[in-house]
Amino acid sequence: MFGMIPFERSDNNIFDLFDNFQKQFFRNSNATLPAFRADIRDLDDKFVLEAELPGFNKEDISLDLKEGILTIKAEHKEAQEQKQGEYIRRERRTGSFARSFDVSGIDESGISAAYKNGILEVTLPKQAPVVPESRQIDIL
């Protein structure tokens, strides 16, 4: 039975310093941290955002775009029927996660998304740069 209990993740990674601070700060409260990991790559003419959302179905994920802010929401929609007597330890829970990203400078009409194997990939095409017009001004 002791082999079924997971080990705690080490908090010594310098790159996770802020995440670890949040975990320590909220450790004794009932608050949850509604976040997920995301990577953003710059591919010259577009950005590609990859969000880790394992365990979600495509129908559980929504992308909302409003006033230059892209919000990704994922929510488990499971029935709440639980039989506590059958479990030795229960770690899976229902809940929702949300995260927002500033998409200024993005061609909003060209945004597309695909979900495969727990990874949501959002393609964000960059807007064409606006080149200021140059003109000659006559002196009177």
Side-chain angles (χ1 to χ4, degrees):
M1 176 168 149
F2 292 107
M4 295 173 54
I5 299 172
F7 291 104
E8 291 294 325
R9 191 179 104 175
S10 173
D11 290 337
N12 296 330
N13 187 342
I14 188 74
F15 299 107
D16 291 334
L17 189 61
F18 184 70
D19 288 343
N20 295 335
F21 170 75
Q22 284 182 320
K23 288 177 189 172
Q24 293 295 327
F25 185 78
F26 290 109
R27 175 169 282 173
N28 295 326
S29 73
N30 291 329
T32 58
L33 300 175
F36 47 84
R37 304 256 185 205
D39 296 331
I40 301 173
R41 293 183 288 147
D42 186 349
L43 300 177
D44 295 327
D45 62 336
K46 64 186 172 187
F47 293 104
V48 176
L49 184 148
E50 294 174 329
E52 289 183 353
L53 297 168
F56 287 94
N57 295 322
K58 185 170 82 169
E59 297 78 26
D60 297 336
I61 302 169
S62 68
L63 280 77
D64 298 313
L65 183 62
K66 184 177 181 181
E67 298 176 6
I69 303 293
L70 175 69
T71 302
I72 301 172
K73 296 178 188 174
E75 182 176 4
H76 281 291
K77 298 174 184 173
E78 296 178 6
Q80 292 296 323
E81 182 180 337
Q82 297 179 2
K83 297 178 182 178
Q84 297 291 341
E86 296 177 9
Y87 296 100
I88 296 172
R89 180 178 174 120
R90 185 175 179 102
E91 293 183 345
R92 292 179 292 156
R93 294 184 174 87
T94 61
S96 62
F97 302 91
R99 199 159 170 199
S100 297
F101 301 89
D102 178 22
V103 291
S104 55
I106 299 297
D107 177 13
E108 294 181 1
S109 64
I111 296 175
S112 62
Y115 183 68
K116 185 176 179 183
N117 296 329
I119 303 292
L120 175 68
E121 184 175 291
V122 183
T123 303
L124 305 158
K126 295 179 183 178
Q127 285 180 340
V130 177
V131 179
E133 290 184 25
S134 176
R135 65 182 179 106
Q136 185 69 32
I137 299 174
D138 294 330
I139 301 173
L140 300 175

